[in-house]
Amino acid sequence: FFSSGRDSVINTWSISEEEVEIVPDAGKGPKRKKKKASKDDDGAGGGRAEVSVRVTYCRIRTLPVYEQVESMILLSRRFRPVSETKDQQEVLDKKDIVLSTCGTKGVVRLWKASHTGSDGPLVVSELSLLASQSEKEAFGEDNGGYTSLHLTSLSTTHWSPLLVVVDAEHNMTYLRMGWKGSTLVFSTDRSIVGHNGEILDLSVVPKGDKLVEEGDKHTVAVATNSSQVRLFGLSEAKEEENEENNDVQCHTALSPRGMLDGHTAIVLSIDASPCGRYLATAGKDKTMRLWHIESQKCIGVATGHTEAVGSVALSRKIGCYDVGGKAAENGAGSFAVTSSKDRTLKVWPLPGSAVMNRYSEEGDISLRARLS
């Protein structure tokens, strides 16, 4: 996995698992030793040994990027342009790992790492620059740089995925990735300006059957420097031809669609479910809240952290949101994950859509952590 931050580097880490035996030793407590593989080993000749798995992390590569990295996302295959020609495949293979970063320099960049070797453990190459915003379109360091970066496959005018980047002046810019010959380039799709507060996080809600108002193409949830989360409707783009240079420009209207009010302190993180029905929010009031987007009501509250909750994420399998009952409690259903300034990470099972939809009319429920 990869990590980055304000130390101006991107680190590549290797994760490995090692089986160890815990051998009881009377009077001295448990003793750990590495497990020795043997087909004839039946555990005889001593106390019964318990096998445990130990996960280890090892930093294998460090790339200096010479800026404080404020946000980094991993682009899976379906969220990046398809390499159609042989020249494009030489630049970006389908097996390559692709990252996107932004930071204090005010430039969005794409990085790639290739798999090296066909046998043995998985090894990746050094990260190399794949694409970068042009100087003309980049926000720039002098203006304050970028503060966060998000990914959406939703577009009102194009099939290609979009990156949403937030700058220091609280504006949102939609960037499109595409090929120009054998070169991968960024182009600005649209910009949204006019926010009064700092944009801390945002999430594009996947379109559901009944969750988007008539005339809206998508719904965007935005967390500003406030205890409230604002919902905006993104309408269908309209094309207008510029007579001076025969260029076609797309204009999109962003309209208020509601406000989620329930937190008692600033909301720091939000995430929408892949089914487009629910939204999770977390903030400085040490809680995570679950919202029913259609009714805009809070249906669940998770308490247990002792410090501000800085990040929240919802599980990505759509079908699991309909799993309820004991199966959901035991981890087979959907769930939310939170991380906090108290240095803990908690997993919260969700009770299933039947229960959550009912509580959108009756009130919220108290969620319990399954793992911490």
Side-chain angles (χ1 to χ4, degrees):
F1 72 93
F2 301 87
S3 64
S4 62
R6 297 188 175 182
D7 54 359
S8 303
V9 299
I10 301 176
N11 291 314
T12 305
W13 301 79
S14 173
I15 309 174
S16 60
E17 293 182 347
E18 181 184 68
E19 287 190 352
V20 296
E21 285 185 358
I22 302 176
V23 182
D25 190 0
K28 295 184 179 180
K31 179 181 179 182
R32 288 181 177 268
K33 70 176 183 179
K34 292 185 179 179
K35 181 182 178 182
K36 295 181 180 179
S38 174
K39 295 182 180 179
D40 300 325
D41 186 11
D42 58 359
R48 183 174 298 230
E50 296 182 2
V51 178
S52 177
V53 177
R54 181 174 59 193
V55 180
T56 58
Y57 304 87
C58 178
R59 184 171 59 189
I60 56 177
R61 301 189 190 280
T62 299
L63 174 70
V65 293
Y66 306 107
E67 70 167 335
Q68 295 181 10
V69 180
E70 298 292 343
S71 189
M72 179 177 71
I73 55 177
L74 178 68
L75 304 182
S76 60
R77 292 181 190 175
R78 70 187 187 98
F79 287 115
R80 61 198 197 202
V82 178
S83 302
E84 297 179 346
T85 67
K86 185 177 180 180
D87 291 339
Q88 292 174 357
Q89 291 173 359
E90 291 179 357
V91 175
L92 179 61
D93 188 80
K94 65 180 181 179
K95 294 183 180 180
D96 289 341
I97 300 171
V98 179
L99 303 172
S100 182
T101 62
C102 72
T104 53
K105 293 285 187 182
V107 180
V108 177
R109 296 185 174 93
L110 287 183
W111 308 85
K112 79 166 185 177
S114 303
H115 295 287
T116 59
S118 56
D119 300 325
L122 178 64
V123 180
V124 295
S125 66
E126 285 277 8
L127 286 167
S128 60
L129 186 63
L130 181 62
S132 178
Q133 263 186 304
S134 66
E135 185 177 348
K136 180 180 178 181
E137 294 191 346
F139 187 69
E141 184 177 14
D142 294 339
N143 296 323
Y146 290 126
T147 59
S148 64
L149 182 68
H150 309 270
L151 177 66
T152 171
S153 61
L154 306 176
S155 171
T156 57
T157 57
H158 309 282
W159 289 106
S160 61
L162 292 176
L163 289 171
V164 186
V165 63
V166 181
D167 60 46
E169 295 181 357
H170 321 312
N171 304 315
M172 296 183 292
T173 302
Y174 287 71
L175 300 177
R176 181 161 46 94
M177 298 170 284
W179 291 101
K180 189 175 182 179
S182 59
T183 305
L184 196 60
V185 297
F186 285 112
S187 60
T188 300
D189 192 83
R190 69 183 73 90
S191 295
I192 299 173
V193 299
H195 286 277
N196 296 322
E198 180 181 0
I199 300 174
L200 300 181
D201 200 4
L202 65 85
S203 180
V204 179
V205 180
K207 186 177 180 180
D209 295 334
K210 301 179 180 179
L211 303 182
V212 180
E213 291 194 17
E214 185 176 355
D216 289 345
K217 188 68 176 178
H218 308 298
T219 298
V220 180
V222 180
T224 60
N225 197 17
S226 166
S227 61
Q228 300 166 328
V229 174
R230 302 175 188 274
L231 300 178
F232 295 92
L234 195 63
S235 64
E236 190 76 52
K238 298 180 181 180
E239 294 186 353
E240 294 183 3
E241 186 174 353
N242 190 333
E243 296 180 356
E244 294 182 0
N245 54 14
N246 294 324
D247 188 22
V248 176
Q249 296 180 339
C250 296
H251 300 277
T252 308
L254 190 70
S255 306
R257 289 291 177 258
M259 186 180 298
L260 307 180
D261 191 2
H263 284 277
T264 58
I266 293 174
V267 175
L268 299 174
S269 178
I270 57 179
D271 191 34
S273 65
C275 62
R277 291 177 287 181
Y278 311 106
L279 188 76
T281 61
K284 291 187 176 182
D285 60 359
K286 309 174 188 177
T287 68
M288 184 272 289
R289 287 180 176 267
L290 189 67
W291 304 84
H292 187 257
I293 296 177
E294 184 179 7
S295 64
Q296 299 184 11
K297 291 185 177 180
C298 180
I299 56 177
V301 180
T303 58
H305 285 291
T306 59
E307 296 289 346
V309 183
S311 184
V312 62
L314 291 171
S315 56
R316 310 319 297 170
K317 290 187 177 179
I318 297 179
C320 290
Y321 282 83
D322 295 324
V323 177
K326 289 291 184 181
E329 294 179 4
N330 294 331
S334 57
F335 57 89
V337 180
T338 57
S339 62
S340 170
K341 191 178 178 180
D342 63 11
R343 301 183 180 183
T344 65
L345 183 147
K346 296 181 184 292
V347 179
W348 311 83
L350 305 182
S353 59
V355 175
M356 292 190 287
N357 293 343
R358 186 175 74 245
Y359 276 96
S360 67
E361 301 176 358
E362 299 178 1
D364 56 57
I365 58 175
S366 179
L367 301 175
R368 292 188 301 175
R370 180 173 178 268
L371 182 65
S372 179

